[in-house]
Amino acid sequence: MKPKLPSNKELKEYHDADTIEDLPDAVASQPEMQEISDIEIPEPLKDPVTSDDLLHRQFEPEPFWEQIPAFKGVSREEFLDVKFQNSNSATKVDHLDELLEDVVSPDFLADVRKGMHIAPMNMRLSPYILSLIDWSDPYNDPLRVQFIPVGSTKKPDHPKLSLDSLSEQEDSPTGGLVHRYFDKALFLPLDVCPVYCRFCTRSYAIGSDTDQVTKLSFKAIPDKWNKAFAYIASRPEIEDIVISGGDTYMLKPHRIKQIGETLLSIPHVRRLRFATKGPAVMPMKILNQPEWTDALIDVVNQGREMSKEVVLHTHFNHWKEITSITYDAMDYLFKAGVTVRNQSVLIRGVNDKIEDMINLVRQLSIINVQPYYVYQHDMVQGTEELRTTLQHSLEVERHVRGTTAGFNTPTFVTDAPGGGGKRDIHSYDHYDEVSGISVYRSPSVDEDKLYLYFDPIYLLPKEGQDLWRDPKNHDDLVKDALSQMGR
Ligand SMILES: *Cc1c(COP(=O)(O)O)cnc(C)c1O
Ligand code: SF4
């Protein structure tokens, strides 16, 4: 039955009405609510969904950790104990060897040994991560790809790549502080993490020295922090502080409070974000180390009292990192009123398939974590096999946008090499898919400067790979891209 529409006269009366009693009957009278189950279902216009369409609502069944022989028979309670997670974390290949004997081939482990030798990052694998990796196919597992280097898949670095590709050092007035944008600053209070990501942008500083890289250090030295606080207090334009690292999961609860309270006490500071990869690799800490979680919630509440926003930024890259334990952890924060947002990195072999990215975005939404950014992979040493071409990332973005609510749709950004800051990946001024060079402007950072991003050479069309073969051509390729911009 078609609903009866109000007449023009009734509509005019409706607009003129001051109270609900003045409304004309046709507008004011609502049908009685019926039991929904008594109502005939309107003819659907869409095909019925299958359980495959709703995969993002499912989690790996517990006890998923029993796939590792060493964790067979471990109870949920023990597995959720942070001490168990820490004391059983693997930081050496030998330990991995022990844990994965009979689960993975010796050839794979030999490959990891090779990988560790050439990697810019250390290794730290919680039992939680180890249990979520599909050891029957470790080469293609999205968690393995993120955290465990292997020698055999290594690609040579791009000739235009450098270790601190974001030039953070140049925008750093004091150790552990980056002030690039007008009103926001990045505070790096420590250099340790609950996991070491192969693709880390700050591999120049994070973790201890590896065979390949001697690191700059931003150790957790409160003395150094004071300099950062003093600088922030001296700059009235700074309203927004990202507290990252390393990783704030590794800060002692009293340090979370100290940093939070100190920054909140600076009048012009309005917004704080604590950034951590922790919930992706050890979500049980939120549930079972209440001191850390309560310190965070306390700072959030103090901020709210002062009308200042304090939030948590997580770093999930693949839906396999999200489990029923993550659900409980994020639910605990949600119920405590903590806003949680997520930043991902688009990584080849991890989340570069369209359906995986869509599933990640939807699953984050289910656990009340708002997808905020997806980063184009930075140009970082020793990670060439993990980068995608800009062209590919643009295509992933096109498919993701529109699959769920706009506020849960991440913005895809390139952190422009050379210190240009974050740019919407679609906002390039020039892009040549053959040479793989894209050019961005970033007027808020520098009106005149141009910033270049380079696709991985081995993923370029053959013609493009040929262009880069001879180092004598490299300058001309760059000049050519700049000339397209009238430079
Ligand atoms: C990413 C970043 C920020 C925060 O940027 P948003 O776009 O607001 O998330 C601040 N400072 C630096 C140096 C950054 O790299
Ligand atoms: S957790 Fe963050 S800072 Fe630490 S290694 Fe991973 S990406 Fe780098």
Side-chain angles (χ1 to χ4, degrees):
M1 195 183 75
K2 258 192 171 170
K4 182 181 168 298
L5 295 175
S7 67
N8 284 346
K9 177 168 167 285
E10 281 166 338
L11 274 178
K12 179 163 184 331
E13 283 170 357
Y14 167 74
H15 287 299
D16 291 346
D18 289 329
T19 70
I20 200 155
E21 280 74 32
D22 298 337
L23 287 176
D25 286 348
V27 181
S29 67
Q30 297 290 327
E32 288 291 309
M33 284 304 283
Q34 273 174 286
E35 270 302 316
I36 209 164
S37 55
D38 295 344
I39 300 176
E40 199 184 323
I41 299 171
E43 196 58 42
L45 303 173
K46 293 184 184 299
D47 292 337
V49 293
T50 66
S51 56
D52 272 1
D53 296 322
L54 302 175
L55 271 184
H56 63 285
R57 296 191 199 156
Q58 288 173 26
F59 302 106
E60 187 73 12
E62 293 186 19
F64 53 79
W65 50 90
E66 294 212 342
Q67 75 140 331
I68 308 282
F71 307 146
K72 263 220 160 65
V74 168
S75 68
R76 183 174 210 265
E77 196 190 346
E78 193 179 354
F79 192 71
L80 262 66
D81 185 345
V82 177
K83 278 202 213 83
F84 174 86
Q85 292 290 325
N86 281 328
S87 57
N88 288 286
S89 287
T91 55
K92 299 252 153 38
V93 188
D94 287 345
H95 191 179
L96 211 54
D97 247 337
E98 270 168 45
L99 286 169
L100 299 177
E101 218 192 328
D102 307 329
V103 178
V104 77
S105 74
D107 290 352
F108 174 78
L109 289 165
D111 204 359
V112 175
R113 252 173 235 285
K114 257 195 330 201
M116 282 302 289
H117 179 62
I118 52 180
M121 291 302 281
N122 308 107
M123 181 168 77
R124 183 192 205 102
L125 303 162
S126 62
Y128 178 81
I129 305 175
L130 286 170
S131 326
L132 291 172
I133 293 174
D134 175 5
W135 291 107
S136 68
D137 186 14
Y139 282 102
N140 292 312
D141 186 275
L143 277 72
R144 196 290 298 164
V145 174
Q146 288 184 71
F147 310 124
I148 307 177
V150 289
S152 60
T153 57
K154 165 112 177 143
K155 303 277 186 224
D157 283 344
H158 196 287
K160 295 287 173 193
L161 170 154
S162 69
L163 195 54
D164 168 18
S165 79
L166 305 181
S167 307
E168 290 189 331
Q169 301 301 312
E170 284 169 28
D171 286 321
S172 178
T174 177
L177 191 77
V178 184
H179 185 197
R180 166 169 305 149
Y181 304 95
F182 180 73
D183 69 351
K184 47 191 179 183
L186 172 64
F187 178 41
L188 308 166
L190 76 173
D191 64 2
V192 285
C193 298
V195 67
Y196 290 106
C197 311
R198 293 173 57 207
F199 51 89
C200 183
T201 295
R202 300 203 182 88
S203 55
Y204 66 87
I206 299 300
S208 47
D209 297 348
T210 63
D211 290 351
Q212 296 305 313
V213 183
T214 307
K215 315 246 165 168
L216 275 168
S217 158
F218 7 101
K219 289 219 180 317
I221 303 172
D223 227 22
K224 258 176 137 177
W225 298 358
N226 287 334
K227 283 200 177 144
F229 297 149
Y231 175 85
I232 294 166
S234 77
R235 303 295 307 199
E237 73 273 35
I238 298 180
E239 294 175 359
D240 190 313
I241 314 279
V242 182
I243 305 148
S244 183
D247 193 294
T248 56
Y249 233 44
M250 307 303 274
L251 286 169
K252 296 250 160 43
H254 74 279
R255 295 292 184 205
I256 295 272
K257 282 184 75 163
Q258 186 182 32
I259 293 172
E261 286 169 5
T262 306
L263 291 172
L264 284 175
S265 75
I266 300 173
H268 52 259
V269 171
R270 304 287 309 166
R271 297 175 290 279
L272 304 183
R273 331 174 202 174
F274 286 92
T276 175
K277 176 95 186 163
V281 298
M282 212 188 276
M284 47 286 283
K285 177 165 173 147
I286 304 273
L287 298 165
N288 288 340
Q289 254 183 19
E291 305 79 16
W292 189 90
T293 315
D294 291 347
L296 175 73
I297 293 171
D298 189 51
V299 177
V300 170
N301 289 338
Q302 285 189 49
R304 190 178 296 116
E305 280 298 307
M306 304 166 82
S307 305
K308 298 185 177 192
E309 185 192 65
V310 181
V311 305
L312 187 69
H313 274 207
T314 57
H315 179 180
F316 294 95
N317 286 330
H318 194 275
W319 50 269
K320 271 182 75 172
E321 293 165 320
I322 300 172
T323 62
S324 42
I325 305 171
T326 328
Y327 183 95
D328 291 347
M330 295 300 109
D331 202 45
Y332 184 82
L333 295 176
F334 185 71
K335 293 207 161 86
V338 181
T339 297
V340 186
R341 304 191 193 107
N342 187 68
Q343 308 190 176
S344 303
V345 181
L346 186 46
I347 305 167
R348 191 162 162 269
V350 175
N351 52 17
D352 60 330
K353 285 207 193 75
I354 289 163
E355 57 279 18
D356 284 330
M357 186 58 84
I358 291 176
N359 214 35
L360 170 66
V361 164
R362 289 187 166 151
Q363 197 151 53
L364 286 168
S365 310
I366 287 282
I367 62 171
N368 292 311
V369 174
Q370 286 194 348
Y372 172 46
Y373 278 149
V374 174
Y375 286 89
Q376 178 72 0
H377 198 302
D378 288 329
M379 298 185 63
V380 186
Q381 191 193 47
T383 63
E384 204 59 359
E385 64 190 275
L386 302 175
R387 297 200 299 130
T388 55
T389 60
L390 175 62
Q391 188 186 0
H392 181 77
S393 307
L394 294 168
E395 192 59 13
V396 176
E397 197 280 344
R398 282 185 198 106
H399 281 84
V400 169
R401 187 158 295 278
T403 54
T404 190
F407 55 79
N408 275 337
T409 303
T411 306
F412 284 57
V413 293
T414 296
D415 212 333
K422 298 173 190 72
R423 306 280 81 204
D424 182 327
I425 56 169
H426 291 284
S427 72
Y428 56 82
D429 286 279
H430 168 72
Y431 178 37
D432 181 339
E433 291 167 11
V434 176
S435 71
I437 302 179
S438 46
V439 185
Y440 288 87
R441 283 179 302 129
S442 190
S444 59
V445 172
D446 188 327
E447 287 279 356
D448 304 318
K449 221 170 142 181
L450 297 176
Y451 300 92
L452 276 60
Y453 182 84
F454 300 86
D455 290 345
I457 292 172
Y458 75 100
L459 293 176
L460 297 177
K462 178 160 182 316
E463 207 189 329
Q465 297 186 26
D466 290 344
L467 288 174
W468 284 99
R469 196 147 289 139
D470 185 353
K472 285 208 275 309
N473 287 342
H474 294 178
D475 282 349
D476 285 342
L477 286 170
V478 170
K479 270 194 207 132
D480 184 51
L482 295 177
S483 75
Q484 302 288 327
M485 299 285 298
R487 303 286 174 104

